[in-house]
Amino acid sequence: FDAAASKKLLAEAGYPNGFEVQLDCPNDRYVNDEAICQAVVGMLARVGVKVNLNAEPKSKFFAHILASGGFDTSFYLLGWTPSTLESYNIFQYILGCYDGKGHGGNNVSRYCNPKVDELANAALQEPDEEKRDDIFKQAWQIALFDDVAYIPLHQQALAWGVSRKVHVIQRPDNYYEFAWVNMD
């Protein structure tokens, strides 16, 4: 973190005195969700960005930021773990162009790049795993690095316990399958 460099970038972007924005955040959905948002408020204040925190129960939060609320937010905390544990799920729901029929259904930012959709759909049709991974790599390059569709601020840590008597295959999404547990 370099506060001076951040302030310089803000000035170059036309915000020499910073700006003000609302951060929409659930306070009962994720581990430490409101505390994470409070930390973001403090960090951004250090470079002149005044953040008004709107922390509310998940029922109000999701009704506010998703389609039912007209995607009425520009800065928010949203967690996502693909149920399929692979990239297409994120391109379908988070990064895909919103079509009102399910595609891009959780794309709160309204990001849309038809080339990214085209690549994600091509990957979905590709049976060769190496080629599929390469296609997804191209889509990720455009969405996250070229377009900067999202700026991830937090990665939730996985909480695992250990015992010499318990053996479990732990999924990367922190979902716990009791069928995968063996005890000595």
Side-chain angles (χ1 to χ4, degrees), residues 31 155-162 168 170-176:
V31 176
Q155 175 67 44
Q156 186 68 52
L158 300 180
W160 298 352
V162 280
V168 62
Q170 183 62 53
R171 291 174 34 158
D173 64 351
N174 215 23
Y175 187 79
Y176 192 75

Side-chain angles (χ1 to χ4, degrees), residues 57-79:
K58 63 187 173 197
S59 60
K60 290 183 179 182
F61 169 77
F62 287 113
H64 174 82
I65 71 160
L66 295 179
S68 60
F71 300 107
D72 186 23
T73 187
S74 60
F75 190 29
Y76 56 93
L77 174 74
L78 180 68

Side-chain angles (χ1 to χ4, degrees), residues 137-149:
K137 183 178 178 182
Q138 293 173 53
W140 283 117
Q141 176 64 45
I142 295 168
L144 293 185
F145 298 98
D146 299 345
D147 292 351
V148 192

Side-chain angles (χ1 to χ4, degrees), residues 38-93:
Q38 288 170 346
V40 169
V41 169
M43 290 176 194
L44 290 174
R46 293 170 57 190
V47 298
V49 177
K50 182 180 185 320
V51 179
N52 301 308
L53 179 58
N54 177 36
E56 56 191 353
K58 63 187 173 197
S59 60
K60 290 183 179 182
F61 169 77
F62 287 113
H64 174 82
I65 71 160
L66 295 179
S68 60
F71 300 107
D72 186 23
T73 187
S74 60
F75 190 29
Y76 56 93
L77 174 74
L78 180 68
W80 193 263
T81 299
S83 58
T84 59
L85 303 180
E86 59 93 53
S87 289
Y88 185 75
N89 181 277
I90 296 169
F91 287 104
Q92 179 182 10
Y93 293 106

Side-chain angles (χ1 to χ4, degrees), residues 106-159:
N106 286 19
N107 183 347
V108 179
S109 71
R110 316 308 320 130
Y111 168 77
C112 180
N113 185 325
K115 180 65 176 174
V116 171
D117 278 1
E118 179 185 318
L119 286 166
N121 289 328
L124 185 63
Q125 303 301 317
E126 179 54 60
D128 182 279
E129 187 175 348
E130 193 172 311
K131 290 178 183 176
R132 178 182 170 96
D133 287 347
D134 185 58
I135 296 168
F136 276 133
K137 183 178 178 182
Q138 293 173 53
W140 283 117
Q141 176 64 45
I142 295 168
L144 293 185
F145 298 98
D146 299 345
D147 292 351
V148 192
Y150 282 89
I151 301 173
L153 298 176
H154 170 71
Q155 175 67 44
Q156 186 68 52
L158 300 180

